[in-house]
Amino acid sequence: IMWVNGLYNGPCPPIVSFAMGSLGFLTPFDFSDYKKVITRVMRNEMKVEIRTRLWCTVHNDMRRKIADFITLNEVSVDRGPSPYLTNIECFCDDSFVCASQGDGIIVATPTGSTAYSLAAGGSMVHPDVPGMLLTPICASVLSFRPIVFPDSVTLRLQVPIDSSVSAWCSFDGRNAMSLSKGWSVTVITSKWPLPLVARSGGEDDWFNGVMETLNWNNRKVQGGFARTCSGDSIPGEKSKT
């Protein structure tokens, strides 16, 4: 899915994905059933779900555009190979939000909320929710918590001009590049989402995915104490006679 996403920076045709790896979170179909699945697609018997993508632009300290990237999961700005904490300023529609000191910051889509953002402590967000997640990576402060922004805003992650170290950015874990002092990454919701052919449509695919692949909310049910048929009391209970 990540590879196909990188092929289409603009409009993308519906994607039929088959599970051939170990996780398969976005690949609902078994490859052994590919003939049946493709036949149903050609008969227009499948539903399509829309996945939000992010359009990311890297600017230098003179606000000149360096590169554009499109991501399905997330963009991360972090310390990269540096052993030191990185400093990142966050802006929403050019309004200052916060300054983060730590390992970095993630801006994720709802689809990416179950990827790197989740591992960093962010919340799971249903893919139909129109928003962007701002998740700190090992922030060196207790008060910085993940934030969900509406998908209509423009987020900017900037390395302060007076920062003692530079930073690195990557897009869906690829295309890593260094951000010097004063450089920034601007993130908006792409006007070209990614259409995925769904196994059952609606919420079933997503909920089944988080339960099967992430083992979400899966635990052994705690049993209760029960009196025996003979009327014996529960062990430890004082007699009422």
Side-chain angles (χ1 to χ4, degrees), residues 1-17 26 48-54 70-73 109 111 127 172 190-197:
I1 296 294
M2 296 297 104
W3 179 75
V4 174
N5 172 70
L7 295 178
Y8 297 93
N9 287 339
C12 179
I15 298 173
V16 184
S17 54
L26 291 176
V48 174
E49 59 182 19
I50 301 300
R51 296 298 183 111
T52 299
R53 297 196 288 177
L54 300 178
I70 194 166
T71 67
L72 177 61
N73 278 346
T109 63
T111 297
D172 282 340
S190 173
K191 60 183 178 181
W192 297 296
L194 193 74
L196 295 177
V197 176

PDB file of all heavy atoms in Angstrom, residues 1-17 26 48-54 70-73 109 111 127 172 190-197:
ATOM      1  N   ILE A   1       0.835  -1.195   0.000  1.00  0.00           N
ATOM      2  CA  ILE A   1       0.000   0.000   0.000  1.00  0.00           C
ATOM      3  C   ILE A   1       0.876   1.252   0.000  1.00  0.00           C
ATOM      4  O   ILE A   1       0.606   2.220  -0.699  1.00  0.00           O
ATOM      5  CB  ILE A   1      -0.951  -0.003   1.203  1.00  0.00           C
ATOM      6  CG1 ILE A   1      -1.944  -1.173   1.114  1.00  0.00           C
ATOM      7  CG2 ILE A   1      -1.691   1.312   1.282  1.00  0.00           C
ATOM      8  CD1 ILE A   1      -2.897  -1.068  -0.027  1.00  0.00           C
ATOM      9  N   MET A   2       1.932   1.258   0.823  1.00  0.00           N
ATOM     10  CA  MET A   2       2.807   2.427   0.883  1.00  0.00           C
ATOM     11  C   MET A   2       3.467   2.678  -0.475  1.00  0.00           C
ATOM     12  O   MET A   2       3.625   3.824  -0.908  1.00  0.00           O
ATOM     13  CB  MET A   2       3.878   2.228   1.951  1.00  0.00           C
ATOM     14  CG  MET A   2       3.373   2.117   3.384  1.00  0.00           C
ATOM     15  SD  MET A   2       2.539   3.604   3.972  1.00  0.00           S
ATOM     16  CE  MET A   2       0.828   3.072   3.870  1.00  0.00           C
ATOM     17  N   TRP A   3       3.852   1.596  -1.134  1.00  0.00           N
ATOM     18  CA  TRP A   3       4.504   1.738  -2.435  1.00  0.00           C
ATOM     19  C   TRP A   3       3.538   2.305  -3.474  1.00  0.00           C
ATOM     20  O   TRP A   3       3.882   3.213  -4.222  1.00  0.00           O
ATOM     21  CB  TRP A   3       5.037   0.375  -2.887  1.00  0.00           C
ATOM     22  CG  TRP A   3       5.716   0.411  -4.223  1.00  0.00           C
ATOM     23  CD1 TRP A   3       6.957   0.905  -4.506  1.00  0.00           C
ATOM     24  CD2 TRP A   3       5.183  -0.051  -5.467  1.00  0.00           C
ATOM     25  NE1 TRP A   3       7.233   0.771  -5.850  1.00  0.00           N
ATOM     26  CE2 TRP A   3       6.151   0.183  -6.470  1.00  0.00           C
ATOM     27  CE3 TRP A   3       3.982  -0.659  -5.834  1.00  0.00           C
ATOM     28  CZ2 TRP A   3       5.965  -0.160  -7.799  1.00  0.00           C
ATOM     29  CZ3 TRP A   3       3.788  -1.009  -7.169  1.00  0.00           C
ATOM     30  CH2 TRP A   3       4.778  -0.758  -8.130  1.00  0.00           C
ATOM     31  N   VAL A   4       2.319   1.771  -3.497  1.00  0.00           N
ATOM     32  CA  VAL A   4       1.321   2.270  -4.447  1.00  0.00           C
ATOM     33  C   VAL A   4       0.976   3.719  -4.130  1.00  0.00           C
ATOM     34  O   VAL A   4       0.811   4.543  -5.041  1.00  0.00           O
ATOM     35  CB  VAL A   4       0.056   1.392  -4.406  1.00  0.00           C
ATOM     36  CG1 VAL A   4      -1.045   1.991  -5.270  1.00  0.00           C
ATOM     37  CG2 VAL A   4       0.381  -0.020  -4.863  1.00  0.00           C
ATOM     38  N   ASN A   5       0.880   4.052  -2.865  1.00  0.00           N
ATOM     39  CA  ASN A   5       0.591   5.431  -2.477  1.00  0.00           C
ATOM     40  C   ASN A   5       1.623   6.395  -3.046  1.00  0.00           C
ATOM     41  O   ASN A   5       1.285   7.495  -3.485  1.00  0.00           O
ATOM     42  CB  ASN A   5       0.552   5.534  -0.954  1.00  0.00           C
ATOM     43  CG  ASN A   5       0.438   6.965  -0.468  1.00  0.00           C
ATOM     44  OD1 ASN A   5      -0.583   7.623  -0.616  1.00  0.00           O
ATOM     45  ND2 ASN A   5       1.519   7.472   0.127  1.00  0.00           N
ATOM     46  N   GLY A   6       2.887   5.989  -3.043  1.00  0.00           N
ATOM     47  CA  GLY A   6       3.939   6.846  -3.571  1.00  0.00           C
ATOM     48  C   GLY A   6       3.903   7.020  -5.080  1.00  0.00           C
ATOM     49  O   GLY A   6       4.516   7.950  -5.611  1.00  0.00           O
ATOM     50  N   LEU A   7       3.181   6.138  -5.768  1.00  0.00           N
ATOM     51  CA  LEU A   7       3.087   6.248  -7.234  1.00  0.00           C
ATOM     52  C   LEU A   7       2.132   7.345  -7.668  1.00  0.00           C
ATOM     53  O   LEU A   7       2.219   7.834  -8.794  1.00  0.00           O
ATOM     54  CB  LEU A   7       2.621   4.916  -7.826  1.00  0.00           C
ATOM     55  CG  LEU A   7       3.545   3.707  -7.670  1.00  0.00           C
ATOM     56  CD1 LEU A   7       2.885   2.476  -8.287  1.00  0.00           C
ATOM     57  CD2 LEU A   7       4.899   3.957  -8.316  1.00  0.00           C
ATOM     58  N   TYR A   8       1.208   7.727  -6.776  1.00  0.00           N
ATOM     59  CA  TYR A   8       0.153   8.670  -7.147  1.00  0.00           C
ATOM     60  C   TYR A   8       0.176   9.863  -6.210  1.00  0.00           C
ATOM     61  O   TYR A   8      -0.413   9.835  -5.130  1.00  0.00           O
ATOM     62  CB  TYR A   8      -1.217   7.987  -7.097  1.00  0.00           C
ATOM     63  CG  TYR A   8      -1.382   6.853  -8.077  1.00  0.00           C
ATOM     64  CD1 TYR A   8      -1.112   5.537  -7.690  1.00  0.00           C
ATOM     65  CD2 TYR A   8      -1.800   7.082  -9.387  1.00  0.00           C
ATOM     66  CE1 TYR A   8      -1.254   4.491  -8.583  1.00  0.00           C
ATOM     67  CE2 TYR A   8      -1.950   6.049 -10.287  1.00  0.00           C
ATOM     68  CZ  TYR A   8      -1.675   4.752  -9.883  1.00  0.00           C
ATOM     69  OH  TYR A   8      -1.829   3.719 -10.766  1.00  0.00           O
ATOM     70  N   ASN A   9       0.851  10.920  -6.623  1.00  0.00           N
ATOM     71  CA  ASN A   9       0.816  12.162  -5.852  1.00  0.00           C
ATOM     72  C   ASN A   9      -0.470  12.939  -6.082  1.00  0.00           C
ATOM     73  O   ASN A   9      -0.799  13.842  -5.317  1.00  0.00           O
ATOM     74  CB  ASN A   9       2.014  13.038  -6.207  1.00  0.00           C
ATOM     75  CG  ASN A   9       3.307  12.494  -5.631  1.00  0.00           C
ATOM     76  OD1 ASN A   9       3.300  11.718  -4.676  1.00  0.00           O
ATOM     77  ND2 ASN A   9       4.425  12.885  -6.213  1.00  0.00           N
ATOM     78  N   GLY A  10      -1.174  12.569  -7.151  1.00  0.00           N
ATOM     79  CA  GLY A  10      -2.441  13.202  -7.464  1.00  0.00           C
ATOM     80  C   GLY A  10      -3.579  12.211  -7.313  1.00  0.00           C
ATOM     81  O   GLY A  10      -3.563  11.381  -6.413  1.00  0.00           O
ATOM     82  N   PRO A  11      -4.579  12.282  -8.199  1.00  0.00           N
ATOM     83  CA  PRO A  11      -5.701  11.343  -8.127  1.00  0.00           C
ATOM     84  C   PRO A  11      -5.223   9.899  -8.236  1.00  0.00           C
ATOM     85  O   PRO A  11      -4.293   9.590  -8.999  1.00  0.00           O
ATOM     86  CB  PRO A  11      -6.573  11.745  -9.324  1.00  0.00           C
ATOM     87  CG  PRO A  11      -6.201  13.163  -9.610  1.00  0.00           C
ATOM     88  CD  PRO A  11      -4.756  13.289  -9.273  1.00  0.00           C
ATOM     89  N   CYS A  12      -5.863   9.020  -7.489  1.00  0.00           N
ATOM     90  CA  CYS A  12      -5.462   7.621  -7.444  1.00  0.00           C
ATOM     91  C   CYS A  12      -6.669   6.738  -7.714  1.00  0.00           C
ATOM     92  O   CYS A  12      -7.754   6.987  -7.183  1.00  0.00           O
ATOM     93  CB  CYS A  12      -4.856   7.289  -6.080  1.00  0.00           C
ATOM     94  SG  CYS A  12      -4.343   5.574  -5.872  1.00  0.00           S
ATOM     95  N   PRO A  13      -6.535   5.693  -8.542  1.00  0.00           N
ATOM     96  CA  PRO A  13      -7.662   4.774  -8.780  1.00  0.00           C
ATOM     97  C   PRO A  13      -7.904   3.899  -7.557  1.00  0.00           C
ATOM     98  O   PRO A  13      -7.035   3.760  -6.697  1.00  0.00           O
ATOM     99  CB  PRO A  13      -7.181   3.943  -9.974  1.00  0.00           C
ATOM    100  CG  PRO A  13      -5.688   3.945  -9.852  1.00  0.00           C
ATOM    101  CD  PRO A  13      -5.334   5.299  -9.307  1.00  0.00           C
ATOM    102  N   PRO A  14      -9.076   3.283  -7.441  1.00  0.00           N
ATOM    103  CA  PRO A  14      -9.337   2.372  -6.318  1.00  0.00           C
ATOM    104  C   PRO A  14      -8.323   1.225  -6.282  1.00  0.00           C
ATOM    105  O   PRO A  14      -7.948   0.677  -7.317  1.00  0.00           O
ATOM    106  CB  PRO A  14     -10.756   1.863  -6.593  1.00  0.00           C
ATOM    107  CG  PRO A  14     -11.377   2.926  -7.446  1.00  0.00           C
ATOM    108  CD  PRO A  14     -10.265   3.477  -8.284  1.00  0.00           C
ATOM    109  N   ILE A  15      -7.895   0.876  -5.076  1.00  0.00           N
ATOM    110  CA  ILE A  15      -6.854  -0.137  -4.894  1.00  0.00           C
ATOM    111  C   ILE A  15      -7.461  -1.384  -4.257  1.00  0.00           C
ATOM    112  O   ILE A  15      -8.164  -1.301  -3.248  1.00  0.00           O
ATOM    113  CB  ILE A  15      -5.722   0.399  -3.999  1.00  0.00           C
ATOM    114  CG1 ILE A  15      -5.054   1.602  -4.668  1.00  0.00           C
ATOM    115  CG2 ILE A  15      -4.690  -0.689  -3.709  1.00  0.00           C
ATOM    116  CD1 ILE A  15      -4.037   2.288  -3.791  1.00  0.00           C
ATOM    117  N   VAL A  16      -7.185  -2.532  -4.872  1.00  0.00           N
ATOM    118  CA  VAL A  16      -7.557  -3.821  -4.301  1.00  0.00           C
ATOM    119  C   VAL A  16      -6.283  -4.427  -3.721  1.00  0.00           C
ATOM    120  O   VAL A  16      -5.343  -4.719  -4.458  1.00  0.00           O
ATOM    121  CB  VAL A  16      -8.169  -4.765  -5.350  1.00  0.00           C
ATOM    122  CG1 VAL A  16      -8.641  -6.061  -4.689  1.00  0.00           C
ATOM    123  CG2 VAL A  16      -9.314  -4.086  -6.080  1.00  0.00           C
ATOM    124  N   SER A  17      -6.236  -4.606  -2.419  1.00  0.00           N
ATOM    125  CA  SER A  17      -5.009  -5.044  -1.757  1.00  0.00           C
ATOM    126  C   SER A  17      -5.169  -6.453  -1.191  1.00  0.00           C
ATOM    127  O   SER A  17      -6.188  -6.777  -0.580  1.00  0.00           O
ATOM    128  CB  SER A  17      -4.626  -4.068  -0.638  1.00  0.00           C
ATOM    129  OG  SER A  17      -5.706  -3.880   0.250  1.00  0.00           O
ATOM    130  N   LEU A  26      -3.987  -3.131   6.171  1.00  0.00           N
ATOM    131  CA  LEU A  26      -4.723  -2.486   5.086  1.00  0.00           C
ATOM    132  C   LEU A  26      -4.910  -3.414   3.895  1.00  0.00           C
ATOM    133  O   LEU A  26      -5.240  -2.968   2.805  1.00  0.00           O
ATOM    134  CB  LEU A  26      -3.987  -1.210   4.638  1.00  0.00           C
ATOM    135  CG  LEU A  26      -3.968  -0.057   5.632  1.00  0.00           C
ATOM    136  CD1 LEU A  26      -3.118   1.087   5.098  1.00  0.00           C
ATOM    137  CD2 LEU A  26      -5.362   0.421   5.947  1.00  0.00           C
ATOM    138  N   VAL A  48     -16.106   0.921  -1.598  1.00  0.00           N
ATOM    139  CA  VAL A  48     -14.819   1.611  -1.527  1.00  0.00           C
ATOM    140  C   VAL A  48     -14.814   2.544  -0.330  1.00  0.00           C
ATOM    141  O   VAL A  48     -15.789   3.287  -0.107  1.00  0.00           O
ATOM    142  CB  VAL A  48     -14.537   2.413  -2.819  1.00  0.00           C
ATOM    143  CG1 VAL A  48     -13.260   3.241  -2.684  1.00  0.00           C
ATOM    144  CG2 VAL A  48     -14.414   1.472  -4.010  1.00  0.00           C
ATOM    145  N   GLU A  49     -13.739   2.475   0.474  1.00  0.00           N
ATOM    146  CA  GLU A  49     -13.582   3.406   1.585  1.00  0.00           C
ATOM    147  C   GLU A  49     -12.471   4.398   1.254  1.00  0.00           C
ATOM    148  O   GLU A  49     -11.494   4.054   0.582  1.00  0.00           O
ATOM    149  CB  GLU A  49     -13.274   2.666   2.890  1.00  0.00           C
ATOM    150  CG  GLU A  49     -12.022   1.809   2.853  1.00  0.00           C
ATOM    151  CD  GLU A  49     -11.815   1.066   4.156  1.00  0.00           C
ATOM    152  OE1 GLU A  49     -12.798   0.935   4.924  1.00  0.00           O
ATOM    153  OE2 GLU A  49     -10.693   0.622   4.413  1.00  0.00           O
ATOM    154  N   ILE A  50     -12.635   5.619   1.714  1.00  0.00           N
ATOM    155  CA  ILE A  50     -11.714   6.701   1.391  1.00  0.00           C
ATOM    156  C   ILE A  50     -10.762   6.930   2.558  1.00  0.00           C
ATOM    157  O   ILE A  50     -11.199   7.118   3.698  1.00  0.00           O
ATOM    158  CB  ILE A  50     -12.488   8.004   1.067  1.00  0.00           C
ATOM    159  CG1 ILE A  50     -13.430   7.763  -0.116  1.00  0.00           C
ATOM    160  CG2 ILE A  50     -11.513   9.132   0.769  1.00  0.00           C
ATOM    161  CD1 ILE A  50     -12.743   7.334  -1.388  1.00  0.00           C
ATOM    162  N   ARG A  51      -9.462   6.913   2.280  1.00  0.00           N
ATOM    163  CA  ARG A  51      -8.449   7.150   3.310  1.00  0.00           C
ATOM    164  C   ARG A  51      -7.746   8.489   3.065  1.00  0.00           C
ATOM    165  O   ARG A  51      -7.235   8.758   1.973  1.00  0.00           O
ATOM    166  CB  ARG A  51      -7.416   6.018   3.303  1.00  0.00           C
ATOM    167  CG  ARG A  51      -7.980   4.647   3.678  1.00  0.00           C
ATOM    168  CD  ARG A  51      -8.536   4.661   5.091  1.00  0.00           C
ATOM    169  NE  ARG A  51      -9.030   3.356   5.514  1.00  0.00           N
ATOM    170  CZ  ARG A  51      -8.467   2.598   6.431  1.00  0.00           C
ATOM    171  NH1 ARG A  51      -7.361   3.014   7.029  1.00  0.00           N
ATOM    172  NH2 ARG A  51      -8.990   1.435   6.766  1.00  0.00           N
ATOM    173  N   THR A  52      -7.758   9.322   4.092  1.00  0.00           N
ATOM    174  CA  THR A  52      -7.138  10.646   4.017  1.00  0.00           C
ATOM    175  C   THR A  52      -5.634  10.522   3.823  1.00  0.00           C
ATOM    176  O   THR A  52      -4.977   9.652   4.397  1.00  0.00           O
ATOM    177  CB  THR A  52      -7.419  11.438   5.308  1.00  0.00           C
ATOM    178  OG1 THR A  52      -8.825  11.594   5.457  1.00  0.00           O
ATOM    179  CG2 THR A  52      -6.753  12.802   5.269  1.00  0.00           C
ATOM    180  N   ARG A  53      -5.072  11.423   3.014  1.00  0.00           N
ATOM    181  CA  ARG A  53      -3.617  11.522   2.845  1.00  0.00           C
ATOM    182  C   ARG A  53      -3.164  12.939   3.206  1.00  0.00           C
ATOM    183  O   ARG A  53      -3.964  13.874   3.228  1.00  0.00           O
ATOM    184  CB  ARG A  53      -3.196  11.186   1.417  1.00  0.00           C
ATOM    185  CG  ARG A  53      -3.509   9.759   1.020  1.00  0.00           C
ATOM    186  CD  ARG A  53      -2.746   9.334  -0.222  1.00  0.00           C
ATOM    187  NE  ARG A  53      -3.241   9.975  -1.430  1.00  0.00           N
ATOM    188  CZ  ARG A  53      -2.685   9.798  -2.638  1.00  0.00           C
ATOM    189  NH1 ARG A  53      -1.615   9.038  -2.779  1.00  0.00           N
ATOM    190  NH2 ARG A  53      -3.199  10.392  -3.698  1.00  0.00           N
ATOM    191  N   LEU A  54      -1.884  13.076   3.495  1.00  0.00           N
ATOM    192  CA  LEU A  54      -1.305  14.371   3.846  1.00  0.00           C
ATOM    193  C   LEU A  54      -0.384  14.858   2.741  1.00  0.00           C
ATOM    194  O   LEU A  54       0.389  14.075   2.167  1.00  0.00           O
ATOM    195  CB  LEU A  54      -0.507  14.258   5.159  1.00  0.00           C
ATOM    196  CG  LEU A  54      -1.265  13.815   6.402  1.00  0.00           C
ATOM    197  CD1 LEU A  54      -0.315  13.719   7.585  1.00  0.00           C
ATOM    198  CD2 LEU A  54      -2.420  14.758   6.719  1.00  0.00           C
ATOM    199  N   ILE A  70       3.716  13.176  -0.423  1.00  0.00           N
ATOM    200  CA  ILE A  70       2.371  12.798  -0.020  1.00  0.00           C
ATOM    201  C   ILE A  70       2.475  11.542   0.833  1.00  0.00           C
ATOM    202  O   ILE A  70       3.244  10.628   0.530  1.00  0.00           O
ATOM    203  CB  ILE A  70       1.453  12.567  -1.250  1.00  0.00           C
ATOM    204  CG1 ILE A  70      -0.009  12.529  -0.811  1.00  0.00           C
ATOM    205  CG2 ILE A  70       1.845  11.330  -2.035  1.00  0.00           C
ATOM    206  CD1 ILE A  70      -0.999  12.653  -1.954  1.00  0.00           C
ATOM    207  N   THR A  71       1.728  11.514   1.945  1.00  0.00           N
ATOM    208  CA  THR A  71       1.834  10.395   2.875  1.00  0.00           C
ATOM    209  C   THR A  71       0.456   9.841   3.196  1.00  0.00           C
ATOM    210  O   THR A  71      -0.538  10.580   3.231  1.00  0.00           O
ATOM    211  CB  THR A  71       2.513  10.817   4.191  1.00  0.00           C
ATOM    212  OG1 THR A  71       1.673  11.732   4.892  1.00  0.00           O
ATOM    213  CG2 THR A  71       3.859  11.470   3.924  1.00  0.00           C
ATOM    214  N   LEU A  72       0.419   8.557   3.460  1.00  0.00           N
ATOM    215  CA  LEU A  72      -0.817   7.895   3.866  1.00  0.00           C
ATOM    216  C   LEU A  72      -0.887   7.746   5.384  1.00  0.00           C
ATOM    217  O   LEU A  72      -1.954   7.868   5.976  1.00  0.00           O
ATOM    218  CB  LEU A  72      -0.921   6.516   3.213  1.00  0.00           C
ATOM    219  CG  LEU A  72      -2.122   5.651   3.592  1.00  0.00           C
ATOM    220  CD1 LEU A  72      -3.431   6.339   3.200  1.00  0.00           C
ATOM    221  CD2 LEU A  72      -2.019   4.275   2.947  1.00  0.00           C
ATOM    222  N   ASN A  73       0.254   7.491   6.021  1.00  0.00           N
ATOM    223  CA  ASN A  73       0.284   7.274   7.469  1.00  0.00           C
ATOM    224  C   ASN A  73       0.682   8.520   8.239  1.00  0.00           C
ATOM    225  O   ASN A  73      -0.088   9.046   9.023  1.00  0.00           O
ATOM    226  CB  ASN A  73       1.237   6.129   7.825  1.00  0.00           C
ATOM    227  CG  ASN A  73       0.587   4.777   7.658  1.00  0.00           C
ATOM    228  OD1 ASN A  73      -0.616   4.659   7.525  1.00  0.00           O
ATOM    229  ND2 ASN A  73       1.399   3.734   7.641  1.00  0.00           N
ATOM    230  N   THR A 109      -2.341  10.776   9.885  1.00  0.00           N
ATOM    231  CA  THR A 109      -3.714  10.683   9.429  1.00  0.00           C
ATOM    232  C   THR A 109      -4.477   9.726  10.345  1.00  0.00           C
ATOM    233  O   THR A 109      -3.872   9.002  11.139  1.00  0.00           O
ATOM    234  CB  THR A 109      -3.773  10.139   7.997  1.00  0.00           C
ATOM    235  OG1 THR A 109      -3.242   8.795   7.995  1.00  0.00           O
ATOM    236  CG2 THR A 109      -2.956  11.004   7.045  1.00  0.00           C
ATOM    237  N   THR A 111      -5.722   7.013   9.377  1.00  0.00           N
ATOM    238  CA  THR A 111      -5.166   5.709   8.988  1.00  0.00           C
ATOM    239  C   THR A 111      -3.851   5.449   9.707  1.00  0.00           C
ATOM    240  O   THR A 111      -3.598   4.350  10.208  1.00  0.00           O
ATOM    241  CB  THR A 111      -4.955   5.647   7.462  1.00  0.00           C
ATOM    242  OG1 THR A 111      -6.213   5.773   6.803  1.00  0.00           O
ATOM    243  CG2 THR A 111      -4.301   4.331   7.055  1.00  0.00           C
ATOM    244  N   PRO A 127     -10.878   5.814  10.693  1.00  0.00           N
ATOM    245  CA  PRO A 127     -10.482   6.438   9.416  1.00  0.00           C
ATOM    246  C   PRO A 127     -11.519   7.376   8.818  1.00  0.00           C
ATOM    247  O   PRO A 127     -11.183   8.168   7.931  1.00  0.00           O
ATOM    248  CB  PRO A 127     -10.220   5.231   8.500  1.00  0.00           C
ATOM    249  CG  PRO A 127     -10.893   4.075   9.152  1.00  0.00           C
ATOM    250  CD  PRO A 127     -10.852   4.341  10.613  1.00  0.00           C
ATOM    251  N   ASP A 172       6.127   8.634   5.775  1.00  0.00           N
ATOM    252  CA  ASP A 172       5.786   7.211   5.797  1.00  0.00           C
ATOM    253  C   ASP A 172       7.032   6.355   5.961  1.00  0.00           C
ATOM    254  O   ASP A 172       7.154   5.272   5.386  1.00  0.00           O
ATOM    255  CB  ASP A 172       5.033   6.801   4.527  1.00  0.00           C
ATOM    256  CG  ASP A 172       3.569   7.213   4.558  1.00  0.00           C
ATOM    257  OD1 ASP A 172       3.041   7.457   5.666  1.00  0.00           O
ATOM    258  OD2 ASP A 172       2.944   7.289   3.481  1.00  0.00           O
ATOM    259  N   SER A 190      -4.400  16.364   1.943  1.00  0.00           N
ATOM    260  CA  SER A 190      -4.377  16.303   0.482  1.00  0.00           C
ATOM    261  C   SER A 190      -5.796  16.280  -0.075  1.00  0.00           C
ATOM    262  O   SER A 190      -6.702  15.691   0.521  1.00  0.00           O
ATOM    263  CB  SER A 190      -3.617  15.052   0.023  1.00  0.00           C
ATOM    264  OG  SER A 190      -3.732  14.896  -1.381  1.00  0.00           O
ATOM    265  N   LYS A 191      -5.980  16.935  -1.211  1.00  0.00           N
ATOM    266  CA  LYS A 191      -7.289  16.910  -1.858  1.00  0.00           C
ATOM    267  C   LYS A 191      -7.503  15.628  -2.652  1.00  0.00           C
ATOM    268  O   LYS A 191      -8.556  15.438  -3.269  1.00  0.00           O
ATOM    269  CB  LYS A 191      -7.464  18.125  -2.762  1.00  0.00           C
ATOM    270  CG  LYS A 191      -6.441  18.235  -3.884  1.00  0.00           C
ATOM    271  CD  LYS A 191      -6.668  19.517  -4.688  1.00  0.00           C
ATOM    272  CE  LYS A 191      -5.638  19.680  -5.799  1.00  0.00           C
ATOM    273  NZ  LYS A 191      -5.845  20.940  -6.562  1.00  0.00           N
ATOM    274  N   TRP A 192      -6.480  14.750  -2.646  1.00  0.00           N
ATOM    275  CA  TRP A 192      -6.579  13.470  -3.341  1.00  0.00           C
ATOM    276  C   TRP A 192      -6.433  12.328  -2.340  1.00  0.00           C
ATOM    277  O   TRP A 192      -5.326  11.860  -2.056  1.00  0.00           O
ATOM    278  CB  TRP A 192      -5.508  13.351  -4.420  1.00  0.00           C
ATOM    279  CG  TRP A 192      -5.636  14.373  -5.499  1.00  0.00           C
ATOM    280  CD1 TRP A 192      -6.663  14.523  -6.384  1.00  0.00           C
ATOM    281  CD2 TRP A 192      -4.702  15.417  -5.806  1.00  0.00           C
ATOM    282  NE1 TRP A 192      -6.424  15.582  -7.229  1.00  0.00           N
ATOM    283  CE2 TRP A 192      -5.225  16.153  -6.894  1.00  0.00           C
ATOM    284  CE3 TRP A 192      -3.465  15.792  -5.279  1.00  0.00           C
ATOM    285  CZ2 TRP A 192      -4.572  17.226  -7.445  1.00  0.00           C
ATOM    286  CZ3 TRP A 192      -2.808  16.867  -5.821  1.00  0.00           C
ATOM    287  CH2 TRP A 192      -3.356  17.584  -6.896  1.00  0.00           C
ATOM    288  N   PRO A 193      -7.520  11.848  -1.753  1.00  0.00           N
ATOM    289  CA  PRO A 193      -7.429  10.735  -0.814  1.00  0.00           C
ATOM    290  C   PRO A 193      -7.128   9.431  -1.542  1.00  0.00           C
ATOM    291  O   PRO A 193      -7.091   9.381  -2.781  1.00  0.00           O
ATOM    292  CB  PRO A 193      -8.821  10.703  -0.169  1.00  0.00           C
ATOM    293  CG  PRO A 193      -9.714  11.266  -1.225  1.00  0.00           C
ATOM    294  CD  PRO A 193      -8.901  12.311  -1.937  1.00  0.00           C
ATOM    295  N   LEU A 194      -6.928   8.379  -0.764  1.00  0.00           N
ATOM    296  CA  LEU A 194      -6.611   7.067  -1.319  1.00  0.00           C
ATOM    297  C   LEU A 194      -7.858   6.186  -1.205  1.00  0.00           C
ATOM    298  O   LEU A 194      -8.305   5.877  -0.098  1.00  0.00           O
ATOM    299  CB  LEU A 194      -5.453   6.436  -0.557  1.00  0.00           C
ATOM    300  CG  LEU A 194      -4.815   5.204  -1.198  1.00  0.00           C
ATOM    301  CD1 LEU A 194      -3.962   5.613  -2.380  1.00  0.00           C
ATOM    302  CD2 LEU A 194      -3.970   4.444  -0.183  1.00  0.00           C
ATOM    303  N   PRO A 195      -8.445   5.752  -2.343  1.00  0.00           N
ATOM    304  CA  PRO A 195      -9.624   4.872  -2.281  1.00  0.00           C
ATOM    305  C   PRO A 195      -9.199   3.401  -2.174  1.00  0.00           C
ATOM    306  O   PRO A 195      -8.421   2.906  -2.990  1.00  0.00           O
ATOM    307  CB  PRO A 195     -10.328   5.154  -3.613  1.00  0.00           C
ATOM    308  CG  PRO A 195      -9.233   5.590  -4.539  1.00  0.00           C
ATOM    309  CD  PRO A 195      -8.148   6.208  -3.700  1.00  0.00           C
ATOM    310  N   LEU A 196      -9.699   2.711  -1.163  1.00  0.00           N
ATOM    311  CA  LEU A 196      -9.386   1.296  -0.951  1.00  0.00           C
ATOM    312  C   LEU A 196     -10.655   0.465  -1.058  1.00  0.00           C
ATOM    313  O   LEU A 196     -11.678   0.800  -0.449  1.00  0.00           O
ATOM    314  CB  LEU A 196      -8.751   1.083   0.427  1.00  0.00           C
ATOM    315  CG  LEU A 196      -7.385   1.725   0.686  1.00  0.00           C
ATOM    316  CD1 LEU A 196      -6.962   1.451   2.123  1.00  0.00           C
ATOM    317  CD2 LEU A 196      -6.345   1.175  -0.280  1.00  0.00           C
ATOM    318  N   VAL A 197     -10.580  -0.613  -1.808  1.00  0.00           N
ATOM    319  CA  VAL A 197     -11.709  -1.535  -1.895  1.00  0.00           C
ATOM    320  C   VAL A 197     -11.812  -2.291  -0.575  1.00  0.00           C
ATOM    321  O   VAL A 197     -10.834  -2.891  -0.113  1.00  0.00           O
ATOM    322  CB  VAL A 197     -11.532  -2.517  -3.068  1.00  0.00           C
ATOM    323  CG1 VAL A 197     -12.675  -3.531  -3.079  1.00  0.00           C
ATOM    324  CG2 VAL A 197     -11.494  -1.753  -4.389  1.00  0.00           C
TER     325      VAL A 197
END
